[in-house]
Amino acid sequence: DIQMTQSPSSLSASVGDRVTITCRASQSITNNLNWYQQKPGKAPKLLIYGASMLHGGVPFRFSGSGSGTAFTLTITSLQPEDFATYYCQQSYSFPRTFGQGTKVEI
Amino acid sequence: QVQLVQSGAEVKEPGASVKVSCKPSGYTFTDYWLHWVRQAPGQGLEWMGWIDPNSGATSSAQKFQGRVTMTRDTSIGTTYLELTALRSDDTAVYYCARGVVITDSRLFDYWGQGTLVTVSS
């Protein structure tokens, strides 16, 4: 199975901050990397697919980059509604695997 | 609009089985695979398996093989996840999610609201 490791596990930030979350895969997954946002008590919501493609309706302050084994999710100018947990997920092979999550807190 | 509506919360005793349903709407039921993902309290996301509603073909993570069955009823456009021999560590919210392919990228674009399964004696 491909292991996905996110860092940091949590971070504190303020409205307007630039936030970067890193995700590493245990082997190359080319660009088969998705990012999801989850708020408490809610289902995950797709933000980024194919490592860098913004899903429809997602604000442009979210961006993704990387390929191979190293990926980043960047949120420029953090907004109040962005405080949530973020997960990366590889879609290169089965079983699909997720990172452990990064909680973005105030 | 696309929606995936899941069945309600369940409380089961250890050793019992549970069957969770997921009913998509807003698109042709047989056009997209459905995946099951679970989340234990305070924990991360764990992929369990997929079903092709068109053919009925399924595949599950090795961890769940022998305990999980995914089925569908095309007459009512509903998929089901059944988990047997429940243990306390099966307590989790179970999600169904639609799997799509966009320009060679595979992703989950719509999710059900989740079904809490509690395993307790």
Side-chain angles (χ1 to χ4, degrees):
Chain A
D1 297 2
I2 298 175
Q3 306 303 314
M4 306 300 294
T5 304
Q6 287 180 236
S7 61
S9 296
S10 64
L11 64 90
S12 295
S14 300
V15 172
D17 283 354
R18 178 186 179 95
V19 168
T20 298
I21 299 168
T22 297
C23 177
R24 291 191 178 274
S26 60
Q27 67 182 73
S28 176
I29 57 171
T30 60
N31 68 336
N32 293 281
L33 190 283
N34 306 317
W35 290 98
Y36 299 87
Q37 176 194 67
Q38 187 180 34
K39 296 182 179 178
K42 300 294 187 182
K45 173 185 168 185
L46 176 68
L47 297 176
I48 302 280
Y49 65 92
S52 62
M53 303 301 291
L54 199 65
H55 187 52
V58 175
F60 293 116
R61 62 180 179 272
F62 290 93
S63 64
S65 64
S67 67
T69 62
F71 302 87
T72 59
L73 172 70
T74 300
I75 312 170
T76 57
S77 189
L78 198 68
Q79 297 301 300
E81 60 268 31
D82 301 336
F83 291 95
T85 300
Y86 294 84
Y87 293 93
C88 62
Q89 175 243 330
Q90 64 83 16
S91 58
Y92 181 80
S93 66
F94 289 106
R96 300 293 193 239
T97 46
F98 293 85
Q100 80 279 17
T102 296
K103 187 172 184 179
V104 176
E105 303 174 289
I106 300 173
Chain B
Q1 73 283 18
V2 174
Q3 283 188 299
L4 280 64
V5 178
Q6 299 184 222
S7 49
E10 303 262 13
V11 179
K12 296 290 182 181
E13 292 191 345
S17 300
V18 68
K19 194 169 187 178
V20 178
S21 69
C22 171
K23 183 174 175 62
S25 62
Y27 69 94
T28 302
F29 175 66
T30 51
D31 279 357
Y32 299 96
W33 290 10
L34 284 166
H35 297 251
W36 290 92
V37 176
R38 76 177 186 179
Q39 186 171 38
Q43 303 301 308
L45 301 165
E46 181 177 33
W47 179 84
M48 300 181 69
W50 59 258
I51 181 168
D52 177 356
N54 184 43
S55 65
T58 65
S59 181
S60 61
Q62 188 170 13
K63 171 179 180 176
F64 301 104
Q65 286 178 8
R67 285 208 303 142
V68 71
T69 303
M70 290 169 286
T71 56
R72 93 295 192 208
D73 185 337
T74 55
S75 67
I76 58 172
T78 300
T79 61
Y80 302 91
L81 172 78
E82 183 174 23
L83 190 61
T84 62
L86 289 168
R87 308 184 291 253
S88 58
D89 62 358
D90 290 318
T91 294
V93 175
Y94 289 75
Y95 294 102
C96 59
R98 190 178 80 162
V100 301
V101 179
I102 302 177
T103 58
D104 292 331
S105 295
R106 288 155 176 77
L107 52 111
F108 305 144
D109 64 346
Y110 288 94
W111 296 63
Q113 83 276 18
T115 297
L116 175 62
V117 175
T118 302
V119 182
S120 174
S121 54

